[in-house]
């Protein structure tokens, strides 16, 4: 049905947010990036558009949520292994992210952990290790 996803996230300081995700090893698509938005490449056909708050306001008539005080969205990315989950969380922490909880182990089915980026957006990372019971 759908071929791509673009999650739009408002950010307070676009340059700072770009540097944060680049420190984690991510890249940005220059074709869809400028001074008010940056296209974060998460994987094949998976993108997050980091938008300055002023630019993001142009897409909605509702107030923007302050993600440091309220949850606006939980972004969950699948990972290939527990090691990849732990590595990304460690890189995020080193780049200034908050890591508010311990890893979650859901039996033999799933391992997950996550972080809050510099603007408070919650990024969950999960590795499916088996089939649900």
């Amino acid at each position: 049905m759908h071929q791509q996803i673009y999650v739009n996230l408002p950010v307070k300081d676009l340059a700072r947010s770009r540097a944060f995700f680049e420190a984690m090893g991510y890249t940005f698509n220059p074709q869809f990036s400028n001074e008010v938005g940056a296209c974060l490449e998460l994987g094949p056909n998976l993108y997050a558009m980091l938008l300055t708050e002023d630019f993001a306001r142009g897409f909605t008539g509702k107030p923007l949520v302050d993600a440091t005080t309220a949850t606006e969205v939980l972004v969950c990315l699948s990972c290939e292994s527990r090691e990849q989950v732990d590595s990304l969380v460690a890189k995020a922490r080193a780049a200034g992210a908050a890591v508010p909880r311990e890893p979650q182990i859901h039996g033999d089915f799933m391992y997950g952990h996550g972080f809050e980026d510099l603007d408070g957006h919650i990024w969950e990372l999960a590795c499916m290790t088996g089939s649900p019971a």
Side-chain angles (χ1 to χ4, degrees):
M1 179 183 282
H2 304 287
Q3 297 178 7
Q4 297 178 325
I5 186 169
Y6 292 84
V7 176
N8 294 279
L9 299 172
V11 298
K12 294 187 183 315
D13 183 332
L14 184 58
R16 184 173 177 239
S17 292
R18 282 186 69 135
F20 169 80
F21 285 103
E22 287 169 342
M24 291 183 62
Y26 290 102
T27 59
F28 288 85
N29 182 328
Q31 183 179 3
F32 300 108
S33 299
N34 58 28
E35 66 281 350
V36 295
C39 182
L40 173 62
E41 297 179 324
L42 299 167
N45 298 316
L46 305 171
Y47 308 96
M49 295 297 300
L50 306 182
L51 309 175
T52 63
E53 289 180 336
D54 285 342
F55 187 55
R57 282 186 190 95
F59 292 96
T60 180
K62 297 178 183 180
L64 298 180
V65 173
D66 179 353
T68 63
T69 62
T71 300
E72 79 183 307
V73 66
L74 300 171
V75 179
C76 184
L77 302 173
S78 64
C79 293
E80 295 176 4
S81 66
R82 290 173 69 142
E83 293 77 20
Q84 184 184 23
V85 169
D86 292 339
S87 174
L88 286 170
V89 171
K91 288 177 183 178
R93 186 189 313 255
V99 180
R101 64 186 181 111
E102 295 297 315
Q104 304 293 306
I105 300 171
H106 302 281
D108 293 332
F109 169 61
M110 184 172 58
Y111 174 79
H113 202 185
F115 62 91
E116 293 182 14
D117 69 18
L118 304 178
D119 290 282
H121 303 293
I122 299 171
W123 295 83
E124 295 290 332
L125 305 167
C127 171
M128 305 302 177
T129 56
S131 298

